[in-house]
Amino acid sequence: MPFNIQKIRNDFPILSRKVNGYPLVYLDNAATSQKPQQVIDSIVDYYSNYNANIHRGVHTLSQEATDAYEGARQKIQTHFNAKEAYEIIFTAGTTHGINLVANGFSEILKKGDEIIVSAMEHHSNIVPWQMLCEKTGAILKVIPMNKEGVLIFSEYEKLLSEKTKLVFVNHISNALGTINPIAEIIEKARQVGAAVLVDGAQSCSHVKPDLQKLDVDFYVTSAHKMCGPTGVGILYMKEEWGNKLPPYQGGGEMIAEVTFEKTTYAGLPHKFEAGTPNICGVIAFGAAIDYLNAIGFEEIEKYENELLKYATQKLLEIEGLKIYGTGPEKTSVVSFNIEGIHPYDIGTIVDKLGIAVRTGHHCAQPIMDFYKIPGTVRASFAFYNTLEEVDALVNAVKKAKMMLS
Amino acid sequence: MTIEAIQEELIDEFSMFEDWMQRYEYMIDLGKSLPLIDENLKNDDKLIKGCQSKVWLNSELKEDKIIFTADSDAIITKGIIAVLVRVFSDQKPQAILDANTDFIDEIGLKEHLSPTRANGLVSMIKQMKMYALAYQTQLKN
């Protein structure tokens, strides 16, 4: 399908609304993406036509809902190229997936074992491991980054040892847009026998990871970052890990047999999907994956790179503007500040002009501490943004600068 | 001047402007005349929680009135706290406790009143009223 930006924009009803009297320019895609009509329709269709609980019912509606739910799992398996559909576990989102893995490792780790995380992690990627370390006596090690916002690979290699049990890194940094070399990170971890968990929350709307090729142990992401609904995500785990890790929550769906003496757990993936899942969310997630694939990830990546290049060039023309995260491999995120102006002030003014950007520490305070700044203004682009919207941002930032300096 | 009179004065001043940009520019200007908190007092104790930017607020009792001084690292926030200091500083604790804050809506800063907004205007007012309550209790004893 040729990349037709106008046609794509027409798919997103929200993009035609006004904010503070101006046409909405939505540049907070790293926080959450907007939803196309196709995804919205799939939600309405589910509740209008075949809402029922899944897996156990013999009636027609239940069967239809089950087929749609498991059909979405297969779609997602194909999309991420997982070996088996049951290696895809539905979660409430990335954070839930991370906590599920951390909980599993609390039974595996021993005192003195080590977990490695990167210096550019989201708070939700730091806290569960700190909690895990407190509980097990394991030690948390951090891969440092350089001034360009790129992980120092040689330092990572130095941290690895036979004590390393788990390496945890985001595929793409939410605050800087840096793409981490996960294939190399996984390969090195393999050599010491450590497992690797990759957080794909920021990457899955831009690139299509091949999980078998990456040979990653765990991969987590959220549907809402990729045009799907909030409250649903996936945890991919290799079958061997799925069998090894204990269940996270007890409840319906995750059991095979229950007596008051003993419960046998269900197999994968149900072992980790206790209770009635987010059926509608999962089905809509499938619709979102279909939507993105119909446009094509190569097309998306190419177009977003154009937006990034143009935005970077135009923003840098503003005197005193500094971009954080300037590594060679990055996605369409521009995190910046203007000398002498607080990011919050810029965010407030551009919002009055209808432009949605994020300001603050982006839940990555360690990165802000590293640069010794209170936060940044972050504009993050999606394939439905336009070059004209980049111009609108640049003009708004110029206006803000004029008012604020 | 009473709190009500100062609020009326601010409503008058802000009513001269036609659009939000002029109002914001005026507020930024007001920030420049904010009685600044002593640099030595800019510590965590004086920091108001709930702001994306930093806001330091100090209070002291002079005779029976509270004098506020403040500062912020963001200039819109500094403008907001300057408006509040102008309204509430040099007032008796009871008057501060009794005051309502409807004028904020009338001067066109309504969007800052939402408790979920990260600028902390609501936290600033709450903090000022807390100080007033503390001094009020002190004065009664």
Side-chain angles (χ1 to χ4, degrees):
Chain A
M1 182 173 100
F3 197 84
N4 180 340
I5 184 67
Q6 202 43 57
K7 187 173 172 296
I8 287 170
R9 286 183 69 80
N10 290 342
D11 288 336
F12 291 80
I14 209 169
L15 297 180
S16 55
R17 73 160 280 185
K18 289 194 165 182
V19 169
N20 295 324
Y22 294 87
L24 165 69
V25 174
Y26 185 77
L27 303 178
D28 195 17
N29 293 288
T32 197
S33 61
Q34 294 304 343
K35 320 302 170 200
Q37 193 61 50
Q38 289 84 336
V39 170
I40 300 167
D41 285 347
S42 75
I43 294 168
V44 174
D45 181 40
Y46 169 75
Y47 283 120
S48 309
N49 294 311
Y50 61 101
N51 170 48
N53 211 333
I54 53 167
H55 292 144
R56 287 171 299 262
V58 290
H59 60 83
T60 306
L61 284 193
S62 174
Q63 198 50 55
E64 284 176 13
T66 305
D67 287 349
Y69 181 84
E70 290 304 330
R73 198 191 306 272
Q74 277 164 12
K75 255 180 221 172
I76 290 161
Q77 174 208 352
T78 309
H79 177 81
F80 288 98
N81 194 28
K83 196 169 163 209
E84 305 291 349
Y86 54 73
E87 291 176 319
I88 303 290
I89 289 144
F90 289 118
T91 62
T94 301
T95 300
H96 178 204
I98 292 168
N99 278 283
L100 197 157
V101 176
N103 176 72
F105 269 79
S106 69
E107 314 258 320
I108 293 170
L109 292 181
K110 287 188 278 309
K111 200 170 179 240
D113 284 345
E114 293 178 358
I115 301 171
I116 297 180
V117 299
S118 89
M120 55 175 85
E121 296 304 325
H122 190 277
H123 292 166
S124 68
N125 295 5
I126 302 170
V127 182
W129 309 115
Q130 283 173 335
M131 288 164 66
L132 179 59
C133 287
E134 272 172 34
K135 204 167 156 187
T136 60
I139 299 157
L140 196 65
K141 300 267 175 176
V142 181
I143 315 168
M145 65 177 196
N146 65 21
K147 283 255 184 277
E148 285 72 48
V150 175
L151 292 179
I152 307 171
F153 204 81
S154 54
E155 293 295 325
Y156 167 57
E157 288 177 299
K158 277 186 220 161
L159 292 177
L160 285 166
S161 75
E162 70 282 1
K163 284 189 205 152
T164 313
K165 292 293 174 285
L166 184 71
V167 176
F168 178 52
V169 65
N170 55 29
H171 193 165
I172 291 174
S173 152
N174 75 306
L176 304 172
T178 309
I179 304 175
N180 287 316
I182 53 166
E184 290 79 7
I185 288 173
I186 294 163
E187 198 192 325
K188 285 287 165 195
R190 281 284 161 274
Q191 292 171 10
V192 296
V196 181
L197 164 58
V198 172
D199 169 2
Q202 287 303 323
S203 52
C204 291
S205 57
H206 307 288
V207 293
K208 193 172 171 173
D210 182 330
L211 297 178
Q212 283 189 77
K213 195 173 160 200
L214 281 170
D215 192 31
V216 68
D217 300 276
F218 307 94
Y219 195 96
V220 284
T221 195
S222 295
H224 75 93
K225 308 266 190 190
M226 35 192 316
C227 297
T230 52
V232 65
I234 56 152
L235 159 62
Y236 159 83
M237 61 167 112
K238 271 189 186 169
E239 188 174 359
E240 53 174 288
W241 282 110
N243 294 328
K244 201 166 165 185
L245 295 191
Y248 182 42
Q249 288 173 323
E253 291 270 356
M254 54 77 74
I255 41 150
E257 235 180 309
V258 179
T259 64
F260 279 104
E261 285 70 41
K262 187 174 167 57
T263 292
T264 349
Y265 300 128
L268 289 173
H270 308 294
K271 177 180 167 188
F272 296 104
E273 291 180 4
T276 298
N278 185 348
I279 304 165
C280 177
V282 164
I283 294 169
F285 187 11
I289 296 246
D290 283 343
Y291 179 80
L292 292 173
N293 279 314
I295 298 170
F297 274 82
E298 275 179 32
E299 294 285 337
I300 288 174
E301 206 183 333
K302 210 170 91 190
Y303 181 73
E304 286 178 347
N305 279 340
E306 262 176 61
L307 289 175
L308 173 69
K309 211 172 125 190
Y310 185 67
T312 306
Q313 180 202 329
K314 283 282 167 188
L315 282 168
L316 283 174
E317 285 171 11
I318 299 172
E319 212 187 304
L321 188 141
K322 183 177 168 165
I323 292 177
Y324 299 89
T326 50
E329 298 292 328
K330 62 179 280 188
T331 46
S332 46
V333 170
V334 187
S335 222
F336 64 91
N337 273 332
I338 295 179
E339 205 184 339
I341 304 179
H342 198 284
Y344 166 76
D345 284 331
I346 297 173
T348 305
I349 301 293
V350 303
D351 170 63
K352 295 294 277 184
L353 294 163
I355 297 172
V357 292
R358 187 51 71 106
T359 62
H361 52 60
H362 317 300
C363 300
Q365 268 167 346
I367 299 183
M368 303 304 139
D369 293 346
F370 174 81
Y371 287 116
K372 297 187 174 61
I373 50 177
T376 67
V377 182
R378 183 189 69 185
S380 50
F381 305 93
F383 58 91
Y384 44 73
N385 290 127
T386 63
L387 294 173
E388 290 75 24
E389 288 182 313
V390 174
D391 287 334
L393 167 72
V394 173
N395 289 333
V397 172
K398 282 182 183 163
K399 210 168 202 172
K401 190 191 167 198
M402 224 166 61
M403 284 179 73
L404 298 165
S405 29
Chain B
M1 248 173 129
T2 64
I3 287 179
E4 288 75 25
I6 299 168
Q7 290 182 348
E8 283 305 318
E9 199 178 66
L10 278 162
I11 293 167
D12 267 1
E13 288 168 25
F14 275 87
S15 71
M16 293 187 301
F17 307 116
E18 282 166 11
D19 65 7
W20 69 269
M21 271 187 86
Q22 292 175 335
R23 280 199 297 275
Y24 269 59
E25 276 168 351
Y26 185 62
M27 193 168 62
I28 289 167
D29 272 347
L30 289 178
K32 290 171 187 160
S33 55
L34 167 71
L36 289 178
I37 183 172
D38 195 300
E39 279 296 319
N40 301 325
L41 292 173
K42 279 189 180 179
N43 53 42
D44 282 357
D45 292 345
K46 305 288 179 189
L47 212 53
I48 296 178
K49 301 274 183 284
C51 310
Q52 221 183 61
S53 47
K54 285 186 171 157
V55 182
W56 297 270
L57 177 71
N58 187 47
S59 67
E60 44 192 321
L61 198 61
K62 273 204 179 142
E63 290 162 21
D64 58 350
K65 287 176 176 173
I66 302 178
I67 306 294
F68 287 109
T69 53
D71 201 1
S72 172
D73 58 349
I75 69 173
I76 292 174
T77 316
K78 196 167 165 178
I80 293 172
I81 188 82
V83 167
L84 295 179
V85 166
R86 181 161 148 200
V87 171
F88 292 118
S89 196
D90 204 20
Q91 299 291 340
K92 290 183 178 175
Q94 191 60 52
I96 296 171
L97 288 171
D98 292 342
N100 81 39
T101 48
D102 294 348
F103 78 103
I104 288 167
D105 190 356
E106 293 188 50
I107 64 175
L109 294 177
K110 190 184 174 191
E111 70 258 31
H112 292 282
L113 273 178
S114 153
T116 52
R117 258 194 106 96
N119 63 60
L121 188 143
V122 172
S123 313
M124 294 178 207
I125 293 173
K126 202 170 145 197
Q127 189 62 38
M128 290 174 130
K129 293 218 174 201
M130 291 283 279
Y131 276 130
L133 187 64
Y135 286 124
Q136 174 76 347
T137 319
Q138 197 180 316
L139 284 173
K140 272 186 184 163
N141 297 325

